[in-house]
Amino acid sequence: MTVTDPACRTEHLPASPAGIARAAAILRAGGTAAFPTETVYGLGADATDGQAVAKIYAAKGRPQFNPLIAHTADTAQAMALGVFDAQARRLAEAFWPGPLTLIVPAAANCPVSDLARAGLPSLGLRVPDHPVAHALLTAFGRPVCAPSANRSGHVSATTAEHVLADLDGRIGAVLDGGATRVGVESTIIACLDGHPALLRAGGVPRQAIEAALGQPLRARPHGEKGAVVAPGMLASHYAPRTIVRLDATRIDRDEAALLFGPAALPGSETALAAVNLSPSGNLHEAAANLFAALRRLDQSGAAAIAVAPIPADGLGEAIRDRLARAAVRE
Ligand code: TXA
Ligand code: MG
């Protein structure tokens, strides 16, 4: 098996019609192309081609048991790939295109490769809300499976530069659509047994989903140790190299500060480096800045990244989830 794209020269493509056509051609030839979505950059390959999918796992250095989300240009295409119960249909209608992934049983004739699904009978589906992603998916015409375009275990990439920092020379191309708007990954809801469950907090706040369903979401099911109940929930999934210290009430001199809101934390003026995710305390702005801030502070040489308290409502749930994972050491 070829472990990376044969060319191994990563094309940095503009998000122009020509760039999009080139990325679609690379996908058609069984290669990998990273592209922007509204959440984070995805590393795409033809979801129906197991050999193409294998290149994603190889480029990311990702454990093979972790299934991938299949992205489609529109809701009708997504619905043809899975079995949607009334609740899944309601969520698709309310939030697609948008930062929501639905896990549903795969349709009987589902063309998504076993490797992309990691052998599971279910399938993750998403219709991104981004003009470049939409144009690429439309030009390609088949489902594109795409995990976040970062090396396994690193924080997700929200710019083409961050994609290249992790994957240059390991993927066919990156389509450069600038910084992503939402900044955290999609919310993942499993609709498998009539009781929709939140598998990952993300770009659509839990409250909005519960309002659309008219019922509370179930918590993430807990599986056997090591079982892939909610895969990708590897504890250290988003870990920077630097130690991360949560809910800090003061910053030490050898630390970097990740701040939120207008209130100053004692010690932040003498910190080695500091980034405020949103000086006005806006959670949308904070989500959009999160991964770039973690990358920057990770390079500061600080002994630790001290994180100010962040509220848990709305997008705060996803932000706190990613930071909690970043704080876990392997
Ligand atoms: O916003 C996003 O969701 C981005 C953009 C590129 O779409 N994608 C993304 O993919 O975050 P990834 O692979 O980094 O995370 C997808 C998560 C993983 O935790 C994976 O295990 C889970 O979705 N997943 C995919 N299919 C699943 C399935 N059938 N059952 C349970 N979890 C699944
Ligand atoms: Mg990821």
Side-chain angles (χ1 to χ4, degrees), residues 188-256:
I188 304 183
I189 305 290
C191 293
L192 295 171
D193 58 3
H195 302 284
L198 179 68
L199 300 194
R200 178 175 77 183
V204 181
R206 165 206 293 274
Q207 296 83 345
I209 291 169
E210 292 181 336
L213 286 173
Q215 69 181 85
L217 286 165
R218 237 182 350 140
R220 177 153 71 86
H222 293 286
E224 309 282 306
K225 193 168 181 290
V228 189
V229 172
M233 302 295 124
L234 300 177
S236 66
H237 201 63
Y238 300 89
R241 287 184 302 271
T242 315
I243 289 168
V244 174
R245 188 163 73 78
L246 300 176
D247 293 317
T249 50
R250 58 161 295 112
I251 317 288
D252 290 336
R253 272 178 189 276
D254 59 350
E255 288 185 319

Short mmCIF file of all heavy atoms in Angstrom, two decimals, residues 188-256:
data_model
loop_
_atom_site.label_atom_id
_atom_site.label_comp_id
_atom_site.label_asym_id
_atom_site.label_seq_id
_atom_site.Cartn_x
_atom_site.Cartn_y
_atom_site.Cartn_z
N ILE A 188 -21.71 16.56 17.12
CA ILE A 188 -22.05 15.22 16.63
C ILE A 188 -23.21 14.64 17.45
O ILE A 188 -23.11 14.54 18.68
CB ILE A 188 -20.86 14.26 16.70
CG1 ILE A 188 -19.67 14.84 15.91
CG2 ILE A 188 -21.24 12.89 16.15
CD1 ILE A 188 -18.45 13.93 15.87
N ILE A 189 -24.28 14.29 16.74
CA ILE A 189 -25.46 13.68 17.38
C ILE A 189 -25.67 12.30 16.78
O ILE A 189 -25.73 12.15 15.55
CB ILE A 189 -26.73 14.53 17.11
CG1 ILE A 189 -26.53 15.99 17.55
CG2 ILE A 189 -27.94 13.91 17.80
CD1 ILE A 189 -26.45 16.20 19.03
N ALA A 190 -25.79 11.30 17.63
CA ALA A 190 -26.12 9.95 17.16
C ALA A 190 -27.63 9.78 17.18
O ALA A 190 -28.27 10.01 18.20
CB ALA A 190 -25.46 8.91 18.06
N CYS A 191 -28.19 9.40 16.03
CA CYS A 191 -29.62 9.09 15.93
C CYS A 191 -29.72 7.63 15.51
O CYS A 191 -29.87 7.32 14.32
CB CYS A 191 -30.29 9.99 14.89
SG CYS A 191 -30.34 11.72 15.36
N LEU A 192 -29.59 6.74 16.47
CA LEU A 192 -29.48 5.31 16.16
C LEU A 192 -30.60 4.49 16.78
O LEU A 192 -30.91 3.41 16.29
CB LEU A 192 -28.13 4.77 16.65
CG LEU A 192 -26.89 5.36 15.93
CD1 LEU A 192 -25.60 4.92 16.64
CD2 LEU A 192 -26.87 4.92 14.48
N ASP A 193 -31.18 4.99 17.86
CA ASP A 193 -32.11 4.12 18.59
C ASP A 193 -33.33 4.89 19.11
O ASP A 193 -33.94 4.48 20.09
CB ASP A 193 -31.38 3.46 19.76
CG ASP A 193 -30.76 4.50 20.70
OD1 ASP A 193 -30.96 5.72 20.47
OD2 ASP A 193 -30.07 4.11 21.66
N GLY A 194 -33.66 6.00 18.47
CA GLY A 194 -34.82 6.78 18.91
C GLY A 194 -34.53 7.72 20.07
O GLY A 194 -35.40 8.47 20.49
N HIS A 195 -33.30 7.65 20.60
CA HIS A 195 -32.92 8.55 21.71
C HIS A 195 -31.68 9.32 21.30
O HIS A 195 -30.55 8.89 21.61
CB HIS A 195 -32.64 7.76 22.98
CG HIS A 195 -33.79 6.93 23.43
ND1 HIS A 195 -34.90 7.45 24.05
CD2 HIS A 195 -34.02 5.60 23.30
CE1 HIS A 195 -35.76 6.50 24.31
NE2 HIS A 195 -35.26 5.35 23.86
N PRO A 196 -31.83 10.46 20.61
CA PRO A 196 -30.65 11.18 20.11
C PRO A 196 -29.67 11.50 21.24
O PRO A 196 -30.08 11.93 22.32
CB PRO A 196 -31.25 12.47 19.54
CG PRO A 196 -32.68 12.16 19.26
CD PRO A 196 -33.09 11.14 20.28
N ALA A 197 -28.39 11.24 20.96
CA ALA A 197 -27.35 11.42 21.99
C ALA A 197 -26.28 12.37 21.48
O ALA A 197 -25.91 12.34 20.30
CB ALA A 197 -26.72 10.06 22.33
N LEU A 198 -25.78 13.20 22.39
CA LEU A 198 -24.70 14.13 22.06
C LEU A 198 -23.37 13.38 22.19
O LEU A 198 -22.98 12.99 23.28
CB LEU A 198 -24.73 15.31 23.03
CG LEU A 198 -23.63 16.36 22.85
CD1 LEU A 198 -23.80 17.12 21.56
CD2 LEU A 198 -23.61 17.33 24.03
N LEU A 199 -22.67 13.18 21.06
CA LEU A 199 -21.36 12.51 21.10
C LEU A 199 -20.23 13.51 21.21
O LEU A 199 -19.16 13.19 21.72
CB LEU A 199 -21.14 11.64 19.87
CG LEU A 199 -22.11 10.51 19.60
CD1 LEU A 199 -21.53 9.57 18.55
CD2 LEU A 199 -22.45 9.73 20.86
N ARG A 200 -20.42 14.72 20.65
CA ARG A 200 -19.38 15.75 20.72
C ARG A 200 -20.05 17.11 20.69
O ARG A 200 -20.82 17.38 19.78
CB ARG A 200 -18.40 15.60 19.54
CG ARG A 200 -17.30 16.66 19.51
CD ARG A 200 -16.28 16.42 18.40
NE ARG A 200 -16.78 16.81 17.10
CZ ARG A 200 -16.11 16.66 15.95
NH1 ARG A 200 -14.91 16.13 15.96
NH2 ARG A 200 -16.65 17.03 14.82
N ALA A 201 -19.76 17.94 21.66
CA ALA A 201 -20.22 19.33 21.62
C ALA A 201 -19.50 20.03 20.48
O ALA A 201 -18.34 19.72 20.19
CB ALA A 201 -19.94 20.02 22.95
N GLY A 202 -20.14 20.97 19.80
CA GLY A 202 -19.48 21.62 18.67
C GLY A 202 -20.22 22.87 18.23
O GLY A 202 -20.84 23.54 19.05
N GLY A 203 -20.13 23.14 16.94
CA GLY A 203 -20.57 24.43 16.40
C GLY A 203 -22.05 24.75 16.54
O GLY A 203 -22.42 25.93 16.51
N VAL A 204 -22.91 23.75 16.69
CA VAL A 204 -24.32 24.04 17.01
C VAL A 204 -24.51 23.79 18.50
O VAL A 204 -24.32 22.66 18.97
CB VAL A 204 -25.30 23.13 16.23
CG1 VAL A 204 -26.75 23.50 16.58
CG2 VAL A 204 -25.09 23.24 14.73
N PRO A 205 -24.89 24.83 19.27
CA PRO A 205 -25.03 24.63 20.71
C PRO A 205 -26.11 23.58 21.04
O PRO A 205 -27.10 23.46 20.33
CB PRO A 205 -25.47 26.01 21.22
CG PRO A 205 -25.07 26.97 20.16
CD PRO A 205 -25.11 26.21 18.86
N ARG A 206 -25.86 22.83 22.10
CA ARG A 206 -26.80 21.81 22.56
C ARG A 206 -28.22 22.37 22.70
O ARG A 206 -29.20 21.73 22.29
CB ARG A 206 -26.33 21.30 23.94
CG ARG A 206 -27.35 20.52 24.71
CD ARG A 206 -27.09 20.61 26.21
NE ARG A 206 -25.85 19.95 26.56
CZ ARG A 206 -25.77 18.63 26.84
NH1 ARG A 206 -26.85 17.88 26.81
NH2 ARG A 206 -24.63 18.10 27.17
N GLN A 207 -28.32 23.60 23.25
CA GLN A 207 -29.64 24.18 23.50
C GLN A 207 -30.44 24.31 22.20
O GLN A 207 -31.66 24.11 22.19
CB GLN A 207 -29.50 25.56 24.16
CG GLN A 207 -28.85 25.55 25.55
CD GLN A 207 -27.31 25.54 25.51
OE1 GLN A 207 -26.68 25.27 24.48
NE2 GLN A 207 -26.69 25.83 26.65
N ALA A 208 -29.77 24.65 21.09
CA ALA A 208 -30.46 24.82 19.81
C ALA A 208 -30.98 23.47 19.31
O ALA A 208 -32.08 23.37 18.75
CB ALA A 208 -29.52 25.44 18.78
N ILE A 209 -30.20 22.43 19.55
CA ILE A 209 -30.61 21.09 19.09
C ILE A 209 -31.77 20.59 19.94
O ILE A 209 -32.75 20.05 19.40
CB ILE A 209 -29.40 20.13 19.16
CG1 ILE A 209 -28.40 20.55 18.09
CG2 ILE A 209 -29.84 18.69 18.96
CD1 ILE A 209 -27.07 19.89 18.18
N GLU A 210 -31.69 20.79 21.23
CA GLU A 210 -32.78 20.34 22.11
C GLU A 210 -34.06 21.10 21.80
O GLU A 210 -35.15 20.53 21.82
CB GLU A 210 -32.36 20.50 23.58
CG GLU A 210 -31.22 19.52 23.92
CD GLU A 210 -30.74 19.58 25.36
OE1 GLU A 210 -30.92 20.64 26.02
OE2 GLU A 210 -30.17 18.56 25.82
N ALA A 211 -33.92 22.37 21.43
CA ALA A 211 -35.12 23.15 21.07
C ALA A 211 -35.74 22.59 19.79
O ALA A 211 -36.97 22.46 19.68
CB ALA A 211 -34.76 24.62 20.90
N ALA A 212 -34.92 22.23 18.82
CA ALA A 212 -35.45 21.69 17.56
C ALA A 212 -36.09 20.33 17.78
O ALA A 212 -37.10 20.00 17.14
CB ALA A 212 -34.33 21.57 16.52
N LEU A 213 -35.53 19.53 18.69
CA LEU A 213 -36.08 18.19 18.95
C LEU A 213 -37.27 18.23 19.89
O LEU A 213 -38.10 17.32 19.90
CB LEU A 213 -35.01 17.29 19.59
CG LEU A 213 -33.88 16.79 18.70
CD1 LEU A 213 -32.84 16.07 19.56
CD2 LEU A 213 -34.41 15.86 17.62
N GLY A 214 -37.33 19.26 20.72
CA GLY A 214 -38.37 19.32 21.74
C GLY A 214 -38.12 18.31 22.86
O GLY A 214 -39.05 17.90 23.55
N GLN A 215 -36.87 17.91 23.05
CA GLN A 215 -36.53 16.97 24.13
C GLN A 215 -35.05 17.10 24.44
O GLN A 215 -34.27 17.53 23.58
CB GLN A 215 -36.85 15.53 23.75
CG GLN A 215 -35.94 14.97 22.67
CD GLN A 215 -36.29 13.55 22.27
OE1 GLN A 215 -37.15 13.32 21.44
NE2 GLN A 215 -35.59 12.58 22.88
N PRO A 216 -34.65 16.75 25.68
CA PRO A 216 -33.22 16.82 26.01
C PRO A 216 -32.43 15.73 25.29
O PRO A 216 -32.97 14.66 24.99
CB PRO A 216 -33.18 16.62 27.52
CG PRO A 216 -34.49 16.06 27.90
CD PRO A 216 -35.47 16.32 26.81
N LEU A 217 -31.16 16.02 25.01
CA LEU A 217 -30.27 15.03 24.41
C LEU A 217 -29.77 14.07 25.48
O LEU A 217 -29.54 14.48 26.62
CB LEU A 217 -29.08 15.73 23.76
CG LEU A 217 -29.39 16.44 22.46
CD1 LEU A 217 -28.24 17.39 22.10
CD2 LEU A 217 -29.63 15.44 21.33
N ARG A 218 -29.58 12.83 25.10
CA ARG A 218 -28.94 11.89 25.98
C ARG A 218 -27.45 12.21 26.05
O ARG A 218 -26.88 12.70 25.07
CB ARG A 218 -29.11 10.47 25.45
CG ARG A 218 -29.77 9.56 26.46
CD ARG A 218 -29.92 8.14 25.98
NE ARG A 218 -29.61 7.94 24.58
CZ ARG A 218 -28.94 6.88 24.13
NH1 ARG A 218 -28.47 5.98 24.96
NH2 ARG A 218 -28.74 6.71 22.83
N ALA A 219 -26.82 11.87 27.16
CA ALA A 219 -25.37 12.07 27.25
C ALA A 219 -24.69 11.01 26.41
O ALA A 219 -25.30 10.02 26.02
CB ALA A 219 -24.92 11.97 28.70
N ARG A 220 -23.41 11.22 26.14
CA ARG A 220 -22.63 10.27 25.37
C ARG A 220 -22.62 8.91 26.08
O ARG A 220 -22.32 8.83 27.26
CB ARG A 220 -21.21 10.82 25.27
CG ARG A 220 -20.23 9.97 24.59
CD ARG A 220 -19.16 10.85 24.00
NE ARG A 220 -18.29 11.45 25.00
CZ ARG A 220 -17.22 10.82 25.48
NH1 ARG A 220 -16.95 9.59 25.10
NH2 ARG A 220 -16.43 11.42 26.32
N PRO A 221 -22.97 7.84 25.35
CA PRO A 221 -22.94 6.53 25.99
C PRO A 221 -21.51 6.13 26.35
O PRO A 221 -20.58 6.46 25.63
CB PRO A 221 -23.52 5.59 24.92
CG PRO A 221 -23.46 6.34 23.65
CD PRO A 221 -23.33 7.80 23.95
N HIS A 222 -21.36 5.46 27.46
CA HIS A 222 -20.02 4.98 27.86
C HIS A 222 -19.87 3.54 27.43
O HIS A 222 -20.75 2.73 27.68
CB HIS A 222 -19.83 5.09 29.37
CG HIS A 222 -19.79 6.53 29.81
ND1 HIS A 222 -18.71 7.33 29.58
CD2 HIS A 222 -20.72 7.30 30.42
CE1 HIS A 222 -18.97 8.54 30.05
NE2 HIS A 222 -20.18 8.55 30.56
N GLY A 223 -18.78 3.21 26.80
CA GLY A 223 -18.59 1.84 26.31
C GLY A 223 -17.61 1.08 27.17
O GLY A 223 -17.12 1.57 28.18
N GLU A 224 -17.34 -0.11 26.75
CA GLU A 224 -16.27 -0.91 27.36
C GLU A 224 -14.98 -0.12 27.21
O GLU A 224 -14.84 0.68 26.29
CB GLU A 224 -16.10 -2.22 26.61
CG GLU A 224 -17.39 -2.99 26.40
CD GLU A 224 -17.77 -3.72 27.67
OE1 GLU A 224 -16.93 -4.47 28.17
OE2 GLU A 224 -18.89 -3.51 28.15
N LYS A 225 -14.02 -0.41 28.06
CA LYS A 225 -12.74 0.23 27.92
C LYS A 225 -12.17 -0.07 26.52
O LYS A 225 -12.15 -1.22 26.09
CB LYS A 225 -11.78 -0.32 28.98
CG LYS A 225 -10.52 0.47 29.13
CD LYS A 225 -9.78 0.03 30.40
CE LYS A 225 -8.51 0.81 30.60
NZ LYS A 225 -7.48 0.50 29.63
N GLY A 226 -11.79 0.97 25.80
CA GLY A 226 -11.19 0.77 24.48
C GLY A 226 -12.20 0.58 23.36
O GLY A 226 -11.83 0.54 22.21
N ALA A 227 -13.49 0.46 23.70
CA ALA A 227 -14.48 0.25 22.65
C ALA A 227 -14.74 1.55 21.90
O ALA A 227 -14.59 2.64 22.44
CB ALA A 227 -15.78 -0.26 23.26
N VAL A 228 -15.14 1.43 20.65
CA VAL A 228 -15.34 2.60 19.82
C VAL A 228 -16.81 3.01 19.86
O VAL A 228 -17.51 2.94 18.86
CB VAL A 228 -14.88 2.32 18.37
CG1 VAL A 228 -14.87 3.60 17.55
CG2 VAL A 228 -13.49 1.72 18.38
N VAL A 229 -17.29 3.40 21.03
CA VAL A 229 -18.69 3.84 21.13
C VAL A 229 -18.81 5.23 20.54
O VAL A 229 -19.66 5.50 19.70
CB VAL A 229 -19.16 3.87 22.60
CG1 VAL A 229 -20.53 4.51 22.68
CG2 VAL A 229 -19.19 2.48 23.15
N ALA A 230 -17.97 6.12 20.99
CA ALA A 230 -17.93 7.46 20.43
C ALA A 230 -16.48 7.71 20.05
O ALA A 230 -15.75 8.40 20.72
CB ALA A 230 -18.41 8.47 21.44
N PRO A 231 -16.07 7.10 18.96
CA PRO A 231 -14.65 7.16 18.63
C PRO A 231 -14.20 8.58 18.36
O PRO A 231 -15.01 9.45 18.11
CB PRO A 231 -14.54 6.30 17.38
CG PRO A 231 -15.92 6.20 16.84
CD PRO A 231 -16.87 6.45 17.96
N GLY A 232 -12.93 8.81 18.38
CA GLY A 232 -12.44 10.17 18.20
C GLY A 232 -12.50 10.91 19.51
O GLY A 232 -12.10 12.05 19.63
N MET A 233 -13.01 10.23 20.52
CA MET A 233 -13.09 10.83 21.83
C MET A 233 -11.82 10.47 22.60
O MET A 233 -11.83 10.36 23.80
CB MET A 233 -14.34 10.34 22.57
CG MET A 233 -15.63 10.64 21.81
SD MET A 233 -15.87 12.43 21.70
CE MET A 233 -16.03 12.64 19.95
N LEU A 234 -10.75 10.20 21.86
CA LEU A 234 -9.47 9.98 22.50
C LEU A 234 -9.22 11.15 23.43
O LEU A 234 -9.35 12.29 23.03
CB LEU A 234 -8.35 9.92 21.46
CG LEU A 234 -8.48 8.82 20.40
CD1 LEU A 234 -7.34 8.94 19.39
CD2 LEU A 234 -8.48 7.46 21.05
N ALA A 235 -8.86 10.84 24.65
CA ALA A 235 -8.78 11.90 25.65
C ALA A 235 -7.86 13.04 25.21
O ALA A 235 -8.19 14.21 25.35
CB ALA A 235 -8.32 11.32 26.97
N SER A 236 -6.72 12.70 24.63
CA SER A 236 -5.74 13.74 24.34
C SER A 236 -5.83 14.23 22.90
O SER A 236 -4.88 14.75 22.35
CB SER A 236 -4.34 13.22 24.61
OG SER A 236 -4.05 12.19 23.68
N HIS A 237 -7.02 14.07 22.30
CA HIS A 237 -7.23 14.36 20.88
C HIS A 237 -6.70 15.73 20.44
O HIS A 237 -6.23 15.89 19.34
CB HIS A 237 -8.72 14.29 20.63
CG HIS A 237 -9.10 14.07 19.20
ND1 HIS A 237 -8.75 12.94 18.53
CD2 HIS A 237 -9.77 14.83 18.32
CE1 HIS A 237 -9.21 13.00 17.30
NE2 HIS A 237 -9.83 14.15 17.13
N TYR A 238 -6.83 16.72 21.29
CA TYR A 238 -6.52 18.08 20.87
C TYR A 238 -5.26 18.62 21.54
O TYR A 238 -5.08 19.82 21.63
CB TYR A 238 -7.70 19.00 21.18
CG TYR A 238 -8.94 18.56 20.46
CD1 TYR A 238 -9.80 17.66 21.03
CD2 TYR A 238 -9.21 19.05 19.19
CE1 TYR A 238 -10.93 17.23 20.35
CE2 TYR A 238 -10.34 18.63 18.51
CZ TYR A 238 -11.19 17.71 19.09
OH TYR A 238 -12.29 17.28 18.42
N ALA A 239 -4.41 17.73 22.04
CA ALA A 239 -3.35 18.19 22.92
C ALA A 239 -2.25 18.95 22.20
O ALA A 239 -1.66 18.46 21.26
CB ALA A 239 -2.73 17.00 23.64
N PRO A 240 -1.95 20.17 22.66
CA PRO A 240 -0.69 20.80 22.27
C PRO A 240 0.44 20.13 23.05
O PRO A 240 0.18 19.32 23.93
CB PRO A 240 -0.87 22.26 22.70
CG PRO A 240 -2.06 22.31 23.57
CD PRO A 240 -2.74 20.97 23.57
N ARG A 241 1.68 20.49 22.73
CA ARG A 241 2.81 19.88 23.43
C ARG A 241 2.92 20.41 24.86
O ARG A 241 3.31 19.72 25.77
CB ARG A 241 4.12 20.16 22.69
CG ARG A 241 4.29 19.37 21.41
CD ARG A 241 5.66 19.64 20.81
NE ARG A 241 5.85 21.06 20.53
CZ ARG A 241 5.50 21.65 19.40
NH1 ARG A 241 4.98 20.94 18.43
NH2 ARG A 241 5.67 22.94 19.21
N THR A 242 2.57 21.69 25.02
CA THR A 242 2.69 22.35 26.32
C THR A 242 1.57 21.88 27.25
O THR A 242 0.46 21.64 26.80
CB THR A 242 2.60 23.87 26.14
OG1 THR A 242 3.42 24.24 25.03
CG2 THR A 242 3.06 24.62 27.37
N ILE A 243 1.88 21.79 28.54
CA ILE A 243 0.87 21.45 29.54
C ILE A 243 -0.21 22.54 29.56
O ILE A 243 0.10 23.73 29.45
CB ILE A 243 1.54 21.34 30.93
CG1 ILE A 243 2.40 20.08 30.98
CG2 ILE A 243 0.52 21.38 32.06
CD1 ILE A 243 3.31 20.03 32.18
N VAL A 244 -1.46 22.14 29.70
CA VAL A 244 -2.56 23.10 29.74
C VAL A 244 -3.20 23.04 31.13
O VAL A 244 -3.49 21.97 31.65
CB VAL A 244 -3.61 22.76 28.65
CG1 VAL A 244 -4.82 23.67 28.79
CG2 VAL A 244 -2.98 22.90 27.26
N ARG A 245 -3.37 24.23 31.73
CA ARG A 245 -3.92 24.32 33.10
C ARG A 245 -5.24 25.08 33.01
O ARG A 245 -5.25 26.24 32.56
CB ARG A 245 -2.90 25.09 33.97
CG ARG A 245 -3.22 25.12 35.43
CD ARG A 245 -1.97 25.52 36.21
NE ARG A 245 -1.62 26.94 36.08
CZ ARG A 245 -2.25 27.92 36.74
NH1 ARG A 245 -3.25 27.65 37.55
NH2 ARG A 245 -1.88 29.18 36.58
N LEU A 246 -6.33 24.43 33.39
CA LEU A 246 -7.66 25.01 33.19
C LEU A 246 -8.11 25.87 34.35
O LEU A 246 -7.63 25.72 35.48
CB LEU A 246 -8.67 23.87 32.98
CG LEU A 246 -8.38 22.96 31.79
CD1 LEU A 246 -9.40 21.82 31.74
CD2 LEU A 246 -8.43 23.76 30.49
N ASP A 247 -9.09 26.73 34.08
CA ASP A 247 -9.76 27.55 35.11
C ASP A 247 -8.76 28.24 36.03
O ASP A 247 -8.91 28.23 37.25
CB ASP A 247 -10.76 26.68 35.90
CG ASP A 247 -11.92 26.23 35.02
OD1 ASP A 247 -12.43 27.07 34.26
OD2 ASP A 247 -12.30 25.05 35.08
N ALA A 248 -7.74 28.81 35.41
CA ALA A 248 -6.70 29.49 36.18
C ALA A 248 -7.25 30.78 36.79
O ALA A 248 -8.04 31.48 36.17
CB ALA A 248 -5.51 29.79 35.28
N THR A 249 -6.84 31.09 38.01
CA THR A 249 -7.24 32.34 38.63
C THR A 249 -6.07 33.32 38.71
O THR A 249 -6.25 34.48 39.05
CB THR A 249 -7.79 32.09 40.05
OG1 THR A 249 -6.84 31.29 40.75
CG2 THR A 249 -9.12 31.37 39.99
N ARG A 250 -4.86 32.84 38.39
CA ARG A 250 -3.71 33.72 38.24
C ARG A 250 -2.71 33.06 37.29
O ARG A 250 -2.74 31.85 37.09
CB ARG A 250 -3.05 34.05 39.59
CG ARG A 250 -2.57 32.86 40.40
CD ARG A 250 -1.56 33.29 41.45
NE ARG A 250 -0.36 33.80 40.81
CZ ARG A 250 0.04 35.09 40.84
NH1 ARG A 250 -0.63 35.97 41.53
NH2 ARG A 250 1.14 35.46 40.21
N ILE A 251 -1.85 33.91 36.67
CA ILE A 251 -0.89 33.39 35.70
C ILE A 251 0.52 33.53 36.27
O ILE A 251 0.89 34.62 36.72
CB ILE A 251 -0.95 34.18 34.37
CG1 ILE A 251 -2.40 34.46 33.94
CG2 ILE A 251 -0.15 33.49 33.28
CD1 ILE A 251 -3.16 33.30 33.43
N ASP A 252 1.29 32.46 36.23
CA ASP A 252 2.68 32.54 36.68
C ASP A 252 3.57 33.12 35.58
O ASP A 252 3.22 33.11 34.42
CB ASP A 252 3.19 31.14 37.08
CG ASP A 252 2.53 30.66 38.37
OD1 ASP A 252 2.09 31.54 39.15
OD2 ASP A 252 2.44 29.44 38.57
N ARG A 253 4.77 33.59 35.98
CA ARG A 253 5.67 34.28 35.06
C ARG A 253 6.15 33.39 33.91
O ARG A 253 6.42 33.89 32.83
CB ARG A 253 6.91 34.78 35.82
CG ARG A 253 6.71 36.14 36.40
CD ARG A 253 7.94 36.58 37.18
NE ARG A 253 7.62 37.81 37.90
CZ ARG A 253 7.69 39.02 37.34
NH1 ARG A 253 8.08 39.17 36.10
NH2 ARG A 253 7.34 40.10 38.02
N ASP A 254 6.30 32.08 34.20
CA ASP A 254 6.81 31.21 33.13
C ASP A 254 5.68 30.58 32.31
O ASP A 254 5.90 29.68 31.51
CB ASP A 254 7.71 30.11 33.72
CG ASP A 254 6.97 29.25 34.74
OD1 ASP A 254 5.83 29.62 35.12
OD2 ASP A 254 7.52 28.21 35.14
N GLU A 255 4.45 31.09 32.53
CA GLU A 255 3.31 30.52 31.81
C GLU A 255 2.86 31.44 30.67
O GLU A 255 3.13 32.64 30.65
CB GLU A 255 2.13 30.33 32.78
CG GLU A 255 2.34 29.19 33.76
CD GLU A 255 1.11 28.95 34.62
OE1 GLU A 255 0.48 29.94 35.06
OE2 GLU A 255 0.78 27.79 34.84
N ALA A 256 2.13 30.83 29.71
CA ALA A 256 1.43 31.59 28.69
C ALA A 256 -0.04 31.66 29.10
O ALA A 256 -0.57 30.70 29.67
CB ALA A 256 1.57 30.91 27.33
#
